[in-house]
Amino acid sequence: MFISELFYSIQGEGMLAGVPSVFIRTSGCNLRCVWCDTPYTSWNPEGTHETVDEVCSYVREHSTGHTVITGGEPMLAPEIGELTQRLRQSGQHITIETAGTVWAEVECDLMSVSPKLANSTPRDAGAWTERHEATRIQTDVLRRLTERHPYQIKFVVRDERDLLEIEQILAAVPHERSRVLLMPEGTQERVLQARSQELGEICKKRGFRLSPRWHVYLYGNRRGT
């Protein structure tokens, strides 16, 4: 597996925010979000090749029960199915963080799907602008992921103008409103605080959940957190 980093930290986002977890971050992505906070897994993929045995050994050594597989786009990894089977056999609670554009046969306890909104599309990025825009929403894949697995749907939001697109996506994907989370875009504490206040009011009106980004508040925007 092409692995960007393995680390033990606090889950900062989503329904399991605050839970100590081992993170397996794969490198490589089929999207190029303009605000990507892990460009070393997408724009400039970095990492080392690790075997599934080596990754599972790290999990056994550090985990207290929860493992998060993230990226990049982890569903691109050819070994993702084998890895999730091994983690399940060892008793791990498995969360997979995905943009929901790629289908793979996996085992997980929480499929954390984060469809990328128009605010993610890079401008003046050559071929990647068109490729990203054409790829970022795959409704059939979103449906399959949420029908097959326990899920949360997590949107990265800049402002209220994103709400129309969010509602359009949700109209095409059967879901429970309580499993839809809005998360502020940003990597600076002051930006997250301002946007979180705005999103909190939106959530109160529309019945969504508000997702924090605890890792940014706790550690700043840096690797291994």
Side-chain angles (χ1 to χ4, degrees):
M1 301 188 70
F2 192 32
I3 300 295
S4 171
E5 54 188 352
L6 303 171
F7 58 95
Y8 181 52
S9 188
I10 297 293
Q11 172 61 278
E13 303 172 355
M15 297 169 67
L16 294 177
V19 176
S21 305
V22 166
F23 287 79
I24 301 169
R25 188 182 299 284
T26 65
S27 196
C29 191
N30 60 336
L31 299 177
R32 293 295 185 272
C33 296
V34 66
W35 39 250
C36 179
D37 59 359
T38 58
Y40 49 90
T41 69
S42 58
W43 289 96
N44 298 291
E46 303 172 5
T48 58
H49 292 280
E50 310 283 347
T51 66
V52 172
D53 281 343
E54 289 170 330
V55 173
C56 289
S57 177
Y58 182 92
V59 173
R60 284 195 302 271
E61 182 178 351
H62 295 87
S63 177
T64 55
H66 282 74
T67 296
V68 179
I69 307 174
T70 186
E73 176 49 75
M75 299 288 269
L76 291 172
E79 306 90 345
I80 185 70
E82 179 186 354
L83 176 62
T84 60
Q85 289 174 1
R86 294 277 298 277
L87 293 174
R88 172 61 58 79
Q89 290 168 4
S90 66
Q92 289 294 305
H93 178 288
I94 304 165
T95 298
I96 298 178
E97 297 276 357
T98 177
T101 63
V102 180
W103 171 262
E105 291 289 346
V106 296
E107 297 187 26
C108 74
D109 300 281
L110 180 63
M111 184 64 69
S112 181
V113 188
S114 183
K116 302 308 180 220
L117 302 175
N119 67 38
S120 69
T121 301
R123 306 302 173 188
D124 302 319
W128 272 114
T129 297
E130 183 176 348
R131 181 175 174 182
H132 178 99
E133 184 63 22
T135 305
R136 64 183 179 83
I137 300 297
Q138 300 294 326
T139 304
D140 289 346
V141 177
L142 293 175
R143 286 200 195 102
R144 291 182 72 188
L145 291 172
T146 56
E147 289 171 355
R148 182 72 67 88
H149 303 283
Y151 69 90
Q152 63 184 13
I153 304 175
K154 186 174 59 179
F155 292 100
V156 177
V157 181
R158 278 189 166 169
D159 56 47
E160 194 165 2
R161 289 173 293 183
D162 292 328
L163 268 292
L164 176 60
E165 186 179 8
I166 289 172
E167 295 288 8
Q168 290 172 340
I169 294 170
L170 292 176
V173 180
H175 65 281
E176 296 178 23
R177 203 75 164 181
S178 62
R179 290 186 170 272
V180 179
L181 298 98
L182 306 186
M183 184 173 70
E185 189 274 318
T187 56
Q188 297 178 325
E189 186 173 335
R190 61 179 179 78
V191 173
L192 293 178
Q193 182 175 9
R195 287 179 175 165
S196 293
Q197 290 175 341
E198 295 174 5
L199 290 183
E201 294 305 309
I202 292 171
C203 288
K204 286 160 61 177
K205 293 176 183 177
R206 301 204 179 208
F208 298 128
R209 296 177 67 161
L210 178 65
S211 173
R213 302 198 72 198
W214 282 123
H215 53 296
V216 177
Y217 285 99
L218 292 172
Y219 308 112
N221 181 37
R222 58 187 179 88
R223 296 172 72 157
T225 58

